Amino acid sequence: MQPRNWASRSPSFVAIQNSSRWRAAAQTIRYGPGISQLVEAKRHKNKHYLISDTIVLDQERCVVCWRCIRYLEEWEDKPQLGLFERGGATIIDIQPGQPVNAKTSGNIIDICPVGALTNRVARFSFRPWEIERTPSICTQCSIGCNTRLDTRTHTLRRVVGRENMQVNDQWICDKGRFANGWVNDEKRLTTPLVRKDGTLQPVSWPEALTLVAEKLQAIKSSAGADAIGGIGSAKLANESNYLLQRFMRQLIGTNNIDHRDGADIAALPSGLPALADLMKPQYGPDPKYDVIMLFGVDPSEELPILDLHLKRAVRRGKAQLIIAHPRRIELTRYNGPFMQYMPGGEVALLNGLLHLAAKAKEDKNSDAVKLVAKVTEKQLREVAGVEVDAAKRAVELLANAKNALIIYGPMPARGANGVQVRQALQNLANYTGHGERLAYVGLDANSQGCRDMGVLPNALPGHVGLEDELGRPHLEQLWGVTLPVTPGKSYSQLLDSAGDSIKALYIMGADPASERPNWAANLDKLDFLVVQEIFLTETAQMADVVLPAVSWAEGNGTFTNLERRVQRAAKALGNPQTKAAPDWMILDHLAGQFDANWAHDSAQSVTAEISHAVPLYAGMTWNAIGDQGRQWDAFGLRTSDDYAAAEQPVLTAEAGELRLMDGTVLYDGGTLFGLTRQLSNVAFGLHVAVNPADAARLGLEDGTAVKVRNRYGILTLSLKLDATVKAGVAWIPASLAGAPVGALLNGGLEVVSIEKTDN
Amino acid sequence: MAINNFFKGAVEIGTAMGVTLKTLTLKPVTTEYPRDPVPMYPRFRGKHELRRYESGMERCIGCMLCEAACPTGAIYVEATENDPEHPTSPGERYAKVYEVNLLRCVFCGDCEEACPTEAIVLGHEFALANYSRRDFILTKEILLNPGEPNVIIRPE
Ligand code: SF4
Ligand code: SF4
Ligand code: SF4
Ligand code: SF4
């Protein structure tokens, strides 16, 4: 048979011809179908075999190369796949009834050489020759894994990992890979909405923007600039956040600008030193860090790829993990000292550690020791609820470590206590000689960048103080205004005083109404609420004007990950039927309504402006950042080595009360996550998790419907027994859809009582 | 000279009239379309059809090879997973959306040649004029239910 005439005509067919699958097909066309020399019947195995909700195994295609097994063993340290049977009948299989559930299991799809493992969310929705591939990053947590977005006909079809040896090696987690259904969801906002006669009605862009500008100007002249507040989002790009704070500061004239987990958290500006230092062990035996302490942060749920790097560091690099968390988190299986502290006992624990460190050194009169002179081991046991033995081991490791890295997350750093916790951490880190390597990690994709961009009520872009003698004039000159000097209100203060001293809010990419019912009530009292969103969230439903924005995949933007690496997320697709616009464009046009000519013609020009406005980002233009990102140098922003006393009021719990803890889970079932149908089974669900001992004491069983109540509110949830939760603690993860734990915590630490619901 | 021309002309007219007279008795070669059907050659390529197996299952497995082979980009296929209980086609996938845009199609027949299951074929229907642009998009519904199913599979 002759090669067909059509093979050379169509451009897409040329692409096919270059693919290896095609070459095999071409052989068949030229020489006819192969004639098998086998006389036995073909072996038949499972072709559609689910090894998890998201991965399908075709056992007939599998060549038993072991790569999937090795990945799960060598990287995840979870041997969930194995070889079964012998000889020609060998198959890859899971243990009966135990689907693969490693948080990064999707990577085995990428490394399977024959396509025996397929992505159940994406499979069959494209052929490889017809998709467009755009290098991008994942924006679902602060690791910022490098990804490639595969699109076809204006829809996102698949996300796969892209190599960046500084960040994610070549791996990504399952949330980043599979939970992207929301990008193409039909419920996305497509047109500006304005409230007319009580309902939100579609209008044109000029009408919406003119209304926003008129209303904001009216409120500014009647109630003053400080009656207006802006809320940015750590889930959005630097460009969006930079322009929002510029809008608030330059055109409204207020420092009332913050984001969730912004000024309410006692953070440190400098982020992790470098992820690559943790990744080193795979290339050689000398890890940069020999001891890693995790304080109130659970990488397995919050930062899955960091979890992968840590496992590697422990197993290959012989690094030691010290873990302090109210939950027996997954990484405690590596037998490092584990201090399961009681929420509210954070400072007691850290002071106790400092005390033990001083005792071990027989140091009696240094400044640091005087701060903890009154601390006893009894307090460590009773207030913090931590075994002294584990604490001693931890202190010994820290004291002997050459380079210890200490990481803390937002959970223990919230509110007034958070400031004390940070101070106590600084005391401990400085005393043991690791002050430079104490790091705060935010959890959202751009937690770091949002702070760098000055979306904070008390700092200008670049971590510059409001009255800084160098930074402030620099920005005033660039923006051509005199900037306000009074510090603004933080995120929680803005929402607490909404409807009272705050008359109008401009909320971009945040949904505070779903976080606390009293905030929702406050938002209702506002004179004017603008929400810039991609979905009609609870907050957007209350707005006077809703401005439709686009997601990270549909516009250009840069994100700064937890190690201060600025990375590009390039536009991968665009829906031709929507009127939604990128954040920078909306804000730029809005500024035009205020007679300001910002004159940005693209996201890249905003990126360029940031590189002038923020000295830390100097030179970071779109082209200079490149495909692998660029880290800014935190030298000079590192913590000071001053010691100060840290104290925390004791959180007392009556008999029958439990201390409440939040913290994030990867599969939270939140607004966006819930839109990927294939993942509905793995979502956390509306549970409150307690220790079985507590449940027995309270007379509750697994699955009981319970009311969790304290003076701030009531949540109705189902009870889940979880031995990893410390006795005396109730755990409700943050951002569960419909279970606003933030309402009960009220920005601090609280106790709750749990009782059966009546019915 | 003049007389010579006269005879020459008479012969020529006579020859021409001969043709006319001879043809007068022959059967006509044109067809009174649309009253009478047009004779169709087996390899004529007209409007597309999607075929089924005898069992009623769709032949098309949504492999998108026709889409790739089409030189004008006239075909759009959106494949999805078969429900194992009630499969639409044999195998794991089927075409959820299958559209041919007749405004682009040049009736080259490449789709037909590319198809591994002989699902898409070009039939014999050629009266394709229509009133709106939308109506030139052949949906899967139309393709699967042609007026007169085409049974001829071209040998090549
Ligand atoms: S990686 Fe693919 S081919 Fe290799 S053993 Fe696993 S399933 Fe089989
Ligand atoms: S680890 Fe974080 S950034 Fe990386 S893929 Fe997962 S969610 Fe995305
Ligand atoms: S006949 Fe040719 S132009 Fe028409 S759909 Fe088929 S491949 Fe495309
Ligand atoms: S018609 Fe044929 S070539 Fe086209 S998608 Fe269906 S099976 Fe594949």
Side-chain angles (χ1 to χ4, degrees):
Chain A
M1 215 186 279
Q2 287 300 306
R4 304 292 178 99
N5 56 356
W6 44 264
S8 57
R9 283 225 296 268
S10 137
S12 54
F13 229 86
V14 176
I16 304 179
Q17 278 178 297
N18 291 335
S19 76
S20 52
R21 287 172 207 217
W22 168 251
R23 265 179 250 130
Q27 297 287 343
T28 312
I29 287 169
R30 189 160 297 166
Y31 303 109
I35 299 159
S36 174
Q37 294 175 2
L38 272 182
V39 284
E40 298 89 353
K42 251 193 160 180
R43 273 197 301 269
H44 285 290
K45 299 176 187 166
N46 278 320
K47 284 195 77 68
H48 179 102
Y49 186 67
L50 290 179
I51 60 168
S52 76
D53 275 350
T54 44
I55 306 174
V56 192
L57 169 63
D58 181 340
Q59 288 173 334
E60 279 186 2
R61 267 196 213 168
C62 169
V63 294
V64 200
C65 72
W66 284 57
R67 290 181 96 172
C68 50
I69 298 180
R70 280 185 56 200
Y71 175 81
L72 289 173
E73 281 176 2
E74 293 177 22
W75 285 90
E76 270 289 356
D77 198 11
K78 288 186 179 170
Q80 296 177 331
L81 278 176
L83 287 177
F84 292 79
E85 309 297 335
R86 295 286 168 102
T90 313
I91 50 168
I92 302 283
D93 203 349
I94 49 175
Q95 301 290 344
Q98 291 180 331
V100 174
N101 67 359
K103 296 283 185 326
T104 67
S105 63
N107 291 318
I108 61 178
I109 301 170
D110 286 355
I111 56 174
C112 177
V114 292
L117 296 163
T118 45
N119 176 338
R120 182 149 172 254
V121 177
R123 71 194 215 133
F124 302 152
S125 65
F126 56 86
R127 298 302 303 262
W129 54 77
E130 60 182 7
I131 42 177
E132 282 179 45
R133 301 165 171 84
T134 316
S136 183
I137 56 162
C138 172
T139 59
Q140 309 220 38
C141 88
S142 57
I143 301 281
C145 294
N146 287 221
T147 59
R148 194 187 77 204
L149 305 186
D150 290 355
T151 57
R152 175 185 179 225
T153 58
H154 310 298
T155 44
L156 178 60
R157 300 290 169 130
R158 176 173 72 171
V159 177
V160 293
R162 179 165 65 89
E163 185 173 301
N164 186 337
M165 294 316 284
Q166 309 296 313
V167 180
N168 59 321
D169 198 321
Q170 50 178 303
W171 315 123
I172 61 174
C173 81
D174 287 5
K175 189 176 187 180
R177 182 185 303 270
F178 300 120
N180 292 297
W182 56 273
V183 176
N184 302 129
D185 198 84
E186 288 167 357
K187 293 196 285 292
R188 287 277 302 272
L189 289 171
T190 55
T191 169
L193 302 170
V194 164
R195 190 169 296 278
K196 288 180 185 165
D197 312 325
T199 56
L200 287 170
Q201 291 176 6
V203 295
S204 69
W205 271 111
E207 187 182 339
L209 289 179
T210 319
L211 181 69
V212 174
E214 275 171 10
K215 284 278 193 177
L216 289 182
Q217 263 156 342
I219 291 169
K220 182 178 167 184
S221 49
S222 66
D226 285 336
I228 303 176
I231 290 176
S233 170
K235 290 183 162 55
L236 302 180
N238 286 331
E239 286 71 14
S240 316
N241 282 303
Y242 170 81
L243 287 187
L244 181 68
Q245 65 84 32
R246 180 173 170 188
F247 175 76
M248 294 308 294
R249 292 201 161 104
Q250 180 190 340
L251 299 174
I252 304 289
T254 175
N255 281 316
N256 281 341
I257 169 94
D258 199 6
H259 61 285
R260 185 179 175 192
D261 285 1
D264 294 326
I265 299 277
L268 292 172
S270 48
L272 270 189
L275 276 175
D277 292 343
L278 284 167
M279 296 162 68
K280 272 280 173 48
Q282 59 183 296
Y283 306 112
D286 64 325
K288 182 91 185 268
Y289 303 116
D290 44 358
V291 172
I292 298 145
M293 172 164 170
L294 302 171
F295 191 86
V297 55
D298 175 7
S300 318
E301 291 288 352
E302 294 166 341
L303 306 161
I305 294 300
L306 178 63
D307 171 69
L308 216 55
H309 293 331
L310 287 177
K311 284 175 181 164
R312 199 76 168 175
V314 170
R315 297 173 72 214
R316 295 252 165 144
K318 302 287 172 250
Q320 299 274 348
L321 280 181
I322 304 174
I323 293 169
H325 202 285
R327 227 159 15 89
R328 179 172 282 279
I329 62 173
E330 210 187 293
L331 286 172
T332 55
R333 66 179 164 139
Y334 294 107
N335 283 333
F338 169 47
M339 297 167 284
Q340 194 166 23
Y341 68 81
M342 197 53 107
E346 291 90 352
V347 172
L349 166 61
L350 290 165
N351 282 345
L353 290 176
L354 183 54
H355 166 76
L356 290 176
K359 212 164 117 185
K361 272 212 255 177
E362 300 188 350
D363 170 2
K364 293 216 174 64
N365 346 308
S366 70
D367 288 351
V369 176
K370 286 184 195 139
L371 297 176
V372 290
K374 285 198 227 103
V375 175
T376 60
E377 289 179 10
K378 187 160 165 265
Q379 279 174 348
L380 190 60
R381 254 193 317 266
E382 285 172 9
V383 181
V386 168
E387 290 302 318
V388 177
D389 280 354
K392 279 191 177 145
R393 271 179 69 208
V395 163
E396 196 183 329
L397 277 178
L398 277 178
N400 296 335
K402 276 209 282 302
N403 280 310
L405 177 66
I406 306 176
I407 306 175
Y408 73 103
M411 191 176 73
R414 199 163 284 140
N417 286 323
V419 181
Q420 301 297 323
V421 172
R422 177 176 62 184
Q423 187 57 53
L425 275 166
Q426 280 173 333
N427 292 346
L428 178 67
N430 288 333
Y431 190 75
T432 49
H434 307 296
E436 269 177 37
R437 291 173 299 276
L438 171 63
Y440 164 79
V441 294
L443 303 180
D444 286 325
N446 207 16
S447 288
Q448 180 69 39
C450 215
R451 291 175 179 277
D452 299 347
M453 291 304 114
V455 184
L456 291 171
N458 50 11
L460 295 170
H463 305 282
V464 167
L466 291 177
E467 301 192 54
D468 191 271
E469 282 163 23
L470 282 174
R472 187 184 152 82
H474 170 67
L475 288 169
E476 287 185 337
Q477 194 189 2
L478 191 71
W479 297 344
V481 285
T482 314
L483 291 172
V485 279
T486 34
K489 291 190 160 67
S490 73
Y491 180 75
S492 59
Q493 287 164 347
L494 279 172
L495 290 158
D496 283 337
S497 51
D500 184 17
S501 57
I502 294 291
K503 303 278 183 236
L505 275 178
Y506 192 112
I507 300 180
M508 179 178 80
D511 188 11
S514 70
E515 278 175 57
R516 297 193 201 174
N518 65 325
W519 283 354
N522 287 352
L523 289 173
D524 227 14
K525 286 187 268 169
L526 283 173
D527 290 352
F528 191 59
L529 173 62
V530 188
V531 176
Q532 188 169 314
E533 252 302 349
I534 56 173
F535 282 100
L536 201 61
T537 57
E538 271 180 58
T539 311
Q541 285 167 17
M542 307 170 73
D544 296 293
V545 180
V546 180
L547 304 174
V550 298
S551 72
W552 102 105
E554 293 148 312
N556 291 318
T558 60
F559 291 77
T560 309
N561 78 352
L562 79 182
E563 44 141 23
R564 310 181 311 284
R565 181 175 302 279
V566 185
Q567 306 195 94
R568 299 192 313 203
K571 177 174 170 151
L573 66 142
N575 179 351
Q577 282 165 347
T578 180
K579 282 198 214 159
D583 294 320
W584 68 265
M585 198 186 275
I586 301 176
L587 288 162
D588 214 61
H589 280 80
L590 190 57
Q593 300 275 350
F594 281 74
D595 296 329
N597 182 16
W598 285 358
H600 298 117
D601 58 357
S602 61
Q604 282 88 336
S605 67
V606 186
T607 320
E609 184 181 317
I610 293 172
S611 72
H612 294 300
V614 184
L616 299 170
Y617 283 58
M620 297 224 197
T621 57
W622 185 264
N623 286 336
I625 291 168
D627 265 354
Q628 304 278 297
R630 263 178 66 174
Q631 213 180 3
W632 56 262
D633 188 359
F635 187 78
L637 276 179
R638 293 276 178 227
T639 49
S640 67
D641 38 9
D642 296 339
Y643 292 101
E647 275 166 17
Q648 184 180 19
V650 177
L651 178 69
T652 48
E654 308 285 315
E657 282 182 337
L658 300 174
R659 291 175 175 83
L660 181 60
M661 164 183 66
D662 63 349
T664 315
V665 287
L666 191 64
Y667 302 139
D668 55 16
T671 339
L672 301 185
F673 185 85
L675 293 172
T676 305
R677 149 182 76 74
Q678 288 88 342
L679 292 174
S680 54
N681 286 344
V682 296
F684 191 85
L686 293 177
H687 300 303
V688 50
V690 299
N691 191 288
D694 286 327
R697 193 161 54 84
L698 297 169
L700 299 167
E701 280 160 26
D702 196 28
T704 332
V706 291
K707 280 202 163 75
V708 182
R709 108 174 50 224
N710 70 6
R711 58 194 158 133
Y712 295 109
I714 303 181
L715 294 180
T716 310
L717 299 163
S718 87
L719 190 87
K720 182 166 158 180
L721 299 191
D722 188 343
T724 66
V725 177
K726 188 175 177 65
V729 176
W731 176 40
I732 308 177
S735 24
L736 297 186
V741 61
L744 302 190
L745 282 169
N746 197 35
L749 291 160
E750 284 299 332
V751 292
V752 289
S753 62
I754 298 185
E755 63 211 43
K756 251 192 215 138
T757 50
D758 302 334
N759 41 31
Chain B
M1 215 46 191
I3 193 84
N4 205 1
N5 281 349
F6 175 80
F7 281 115
K8 215 168 164 187
V11 170
E12 275 171 13
I13 288 172
T15 322
M17 282 308 286
V19 173
T20 310
L21 289 172
K22 203 169 90 201
T23 324
L24 216 54
T25 62
L26 286 181
K27 265 177 68 188
V29 293
T30 52
T31 320
E32 190 66 19
Y33 178 82
R35 191 194 65 197
D36 298 338
V38 200
M40 191 60 77
Y41 294 98
R43 288 171 57 181
F44 179 83
R45 299 195 291 259
K47 186 171 153 187
H48 309 64
E49 290 165 20
L50 275 175
R51 296 172 65 236
R52 293 178 187 268
Y53 289 104
E54 287 76 12
S55 62
M57 265 210 213
E58 286 170 20
R59 277 178 177 264
C60 174
I61 48 168
C63 69
M64 305 186 202
L65 281 172
C66 48
E67 178 178 317
C70 178
T72 64
I75 301 183
Y76 176 69
V77 184
E78 187 75 57
T80 193
E81 192 152 351
N82 259 323
D83 175 1
E85 309 296 308
H86 309 281
T88 313
S89 71
E92 283 188 274
R93 57 199 274 162
Y94 74 100
K96 181 174 66 175
V97 177
Y98 192 107
E99 287 176 359
V100 179
N101 183 349
L102 289 181
L103 292 174
R104 300 194 73 114
C105 178
V106 293
F107 300 96
C108 63
D110 283 3
C111 44
E112 191 174 75
E113 283 187 56
C115 182
T117 63
E118 290 166 350
I120 186 86
V121 289
L122 297 182
H124 283 175
E125 194 184 329
F126 56 86
L128 301 175
N130 232 322
Y131 291 100
S132 91
R133 285 174 159 263
R134 280 225 154 260
D135 293 340
F136 286 100
I137 311 282
L138 299 181
T139 59
K140 198 178 157 197
E141 186 70 8
I142 302 172
L143 289 163
L144 276 170
N145 305 300
E148 230 173 279
N150 176 42
V151 284
I152 299 152
I153 297 301
R154 292 176 190 85
E156 69 263 48

